[in-house]
């Protein structure tokens, strides 16, 4: 009997499934569905609703519960695709003998995993996590998240927001003393471009981030070093790792961009 394959898309750091109409895995689900269909594979693709900044352990618990709630047959193969820290969630769930408190048969679920694909996952940690732990970093991180959502929705961030944020870094007392007023101004300006309904969705999302921020600590190089000591590969699972890189920028590229401040940023 040919069983349906289940593919789970796992969002990464400050990830979401659908944020006021903005989809985290935009086009990915459709692309995978079409690719599998042309190969004669019966698949069901699910985007996992993980907590944006909770610990890898808690995010993995949600992943396990999502799989248990969306598969009906114990022989149905499971495939995990994790972006950014979502790749860590996938690796942890596939680890033999994993002990997490979910009330379900986690090992039974893990035995059904056939493939784990990680995309731009910080397998050795990231220094950005260390920056986000400082007081100023946490407030700026909120703006960074909002800027990212803004770009997803409108394609670019208002240059006035960049100028206000840049002005804060010009003054040393803003850097070392932290000017919260500037951060609030940028935040309000960015949020003001959304509809009232989407503003509420974004605010709820950012509020969730304030409740649990354990992932900040775990994504440091030191935190991931400990993670790698405990998260081991499952022998019968095929692993794939997709990495991304960019070349170093030189003077010629800045000249090619021109005088557009947004493009330079």
């Amino acid at each position: 009997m040919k069983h349906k394959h289940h593919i789970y898309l796992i969002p990464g750091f400050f990830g979401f499934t659908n944020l006021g109409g903005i989809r985290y895995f935009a086009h990915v689900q459709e692309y995978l569905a079409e690719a599998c269909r042309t190969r004669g594979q019966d698949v069901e693709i699910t985007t996992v609703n993980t907590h944006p900044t909770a610990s890898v352990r808690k995010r993995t618990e949600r992943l396990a519960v999502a799989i248990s709630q969306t598969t009906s047959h114990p022989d149905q193969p499971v495939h995990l695709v994790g972006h950014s820290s979502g790749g860590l969630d996938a690796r942890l769930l596939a680890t033999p003998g994993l002990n997490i408190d979910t009330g379900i048969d986690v090992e039974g679920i893990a035995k059904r995993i056939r493939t784990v694909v990680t995309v731009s996952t910080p397998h050795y940690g990231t220094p950005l996590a260390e920056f986000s732990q400082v007081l100023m970093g946490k407030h700026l991180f909120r703006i960074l998240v909002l800027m990212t959502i803004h770009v997803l929705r409108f394609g670019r961030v208002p240059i006035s927001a960049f100028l206000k944020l840049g002005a804060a870094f010009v003054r040393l007392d803003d850097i070392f003393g932290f000017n919260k007023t500037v951060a609030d101004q940028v935040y309000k300006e960015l949020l003001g471009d959304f509809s009232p309904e989407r503003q509420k969705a974004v605010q709820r999302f950012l509020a969730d981030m304030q409740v649990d921020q354990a992932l900040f600590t775990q994504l440091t190089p030191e935190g991931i070093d400990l993670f790698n000591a405990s998260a081991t590969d499952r022998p019968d699972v095929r692993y794939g790792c997709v990495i991304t890189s960019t070349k170093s920028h030189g003077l010629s590229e800045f000249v090619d961009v021109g005088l557009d401040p947004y493009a330079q940023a």
Side-chain angles (χ1 to χ4, degrees), residues 109-184:
I109 291 176
K111 287 181 178 179
R112 295 163 51 194
I113 298 175
R114 297 293 176 266
T115 60
V116 170
V117 177
T118 64
V119 182
S120 299
T121 294
H123 294 294
Y124 296 98
T126 170
L128 288 176
E130 296 176 331
F131 168 74
S132 66
Q133 290 185 81
V134 302
L135 178 61
M136 185 179 68
K138 288 184 178 180
H139 287 282
L140 288 180
F141 182 76
R142 182 180 69 160
I143 296 176
L144 172 62
V145 173
L146 190 51
M147 281 185 167
T148 302
I149 295 171
H150 199 286
V151 171
L152 289 173
R153 178 66 182 85
F154 300 106
R156 60 190 292 154
V157 172
I159 189 60
S160 58
F162 270 121
L163 293 177
K164 287 180 181 177
L165 195 57
F169 282 96
V170 172
R171 298 178 45 180
L172 290 178
D173 59 333
D174 283 333
I175 296 177
F176 294 105
F178 180 65
N179 190 330
K180 187 171 182 290
T181 302
V182 175
D184 287 338

Side-chain angles (χ1 to χ4, degrees), residues 8 18 111 122 131 164 190 216 241:
Y8 292 88
N18 189 308
K111 287 181 178 179
F131 168 74
K164 287 180 181 177
L190 291 173
F216 286 107
C241 178

Side-chain angles (χ1 to χ4, degrees), residues 221-237:
E222 296 80 8
I224 293 299
D225 183 55
L226 180 60
F227 174 87
N228 286 331
S230 57
T232 58
D233 291 348
R234 185 171 289 267
D236 53 350
V237 172

Side-chain angles (χ1 to χ4, degrees), residues 26-45:
H27 308 302
V28 174
Q29 189 162 341
E30 292 84 352
Y31 176 84
L32 287 176
E34 179 61 26
C36 292
R37 188 161 43 248
T38 59
R39 290 163 175 77
Q41 297 292 338
D42 183 18
V43 300
E44 181 174 322
I45 304 173

Side-chain angles (χ1 to χ4, degrees), residues 1-245:
M1 179 180 178
K2 189 175 181 180
H3 295 292
K4 176 182 290 186
H5 290 256
H6 288 263
I7 301 176
Y8 292 88
L9 305 179
I10 314 165
F13 203 31
F14 67 83
F16 52 86
T17 52
N18 189 308
L19 186 60
I22 304 173
R23 296 170 55 205
Y24 188 93
F25 286 105
H27 308 302
V28 174
Q29 189 162 341
E30 292 84 352
Y31 176 84
L32 287 176
E34 179 61 26
C36 292
R37 188 161 43 248
T38 59
R39 290 163 175 77
Q41 297 292 338
D42 183 18
V43 300
E44 181 174 322
I45 304 173
T46 302
T47 300
V48 181
N49 183 23
T50 59
H51 188 288
T53 54
S55 68
V56 176
R57 180 189 180 99
K58 289 185 178 179
R59 289 166 53 93
T60 303
E61 290 174 358
R62 285 199 180 189
L63 173 59
V65 171
I67 295 175
S68 69
Q69 293 176 343
T70 52
T71 54
S72 57
H73 197 285
D75 294 328
Q76 290 177 335
V78 169
H79 308 271
L80 306 179
V81 180
H83 172 245
S84 186
S85 57
L88 301 177
D89 304 339
R91 285 180 55 197
L92 186 59
L93 182 60
T95 297
L98 176 65
N99 180 24
I100 54 177
D101 185 18
T102 61
I104 59 178
D105 181 11
V106 175
E107 181 62 19
I109 291 176
K111 287 181 178 179
R112 295 163 51 194
I113 298 175
R114 297 293 176 266
T115 60
V116 170
V117 177
T118 64
V119 182
S120 299
T121 294
H123 294 294
Y124 296 98
T126 170
L128 288 176
E130 296 176 331
F131 168 74
S132 66
Q133 290 185 81
V134 302
L135 178 61
M136 185 179 68
K138 288 184 178 180
H139 287 282
L140 288 180
F141 182 76
R142 182 180 69 160
I143 296 176
L144 172 62
V145 173
L146 190 51
M147 281 185 167
T148 302
I149 295 171
H150 199 286
V151 171
L152 289 173
R153 178 66 182 85
F154 300 106
R156 60 190 292 154
V157 172
I159 189 60
S160 58
F162 270 121
L163 293 177
K164 287 180 181 177
L165 195 57
F169 282 96
V170 172
R171 298 178 45 180
L172 290 178
D173 59 333
D174 283 333
I175 296 177
F176 294 105
F178 180 65
N179 190 330
K180 187 171 182 290
T181 302
V182 175
D184 287 338
Q185 289 176 355
V186 176
Y187 176 80
K188 290 178 181 178
E189 181 168 345
L190 291 173
L191 195 63
D193 289 333
F194 294 95
S195 66
E197 293 76 17
R198 189 159 283 160
Q199 284 186 22
K200 292 179 181 178
V202 172
Q203 287 174 329
R204 284 195 300 268
F205 174 74
L206 294 175
D208 285 343
M209 290 175 51
Q210 298 299 319
V211 175
D212 189 346
Q213 298 184 351
L215 194 58
F216 286 107
T217 303
Q218 294 181 342
L219 289 184
T220 63
E222 296 80 8
I224 293 299
D225 183 55
L226 180 60
F227 174 87
N228 286 331
S230 57
T232 58
D233 291 348
R234 185 171 289 267
D236 53 350
V237 172
R238 298 177 64 186
Y239 289 83
C241 178
V242 181
I243 62 173
T244 55
S245 64

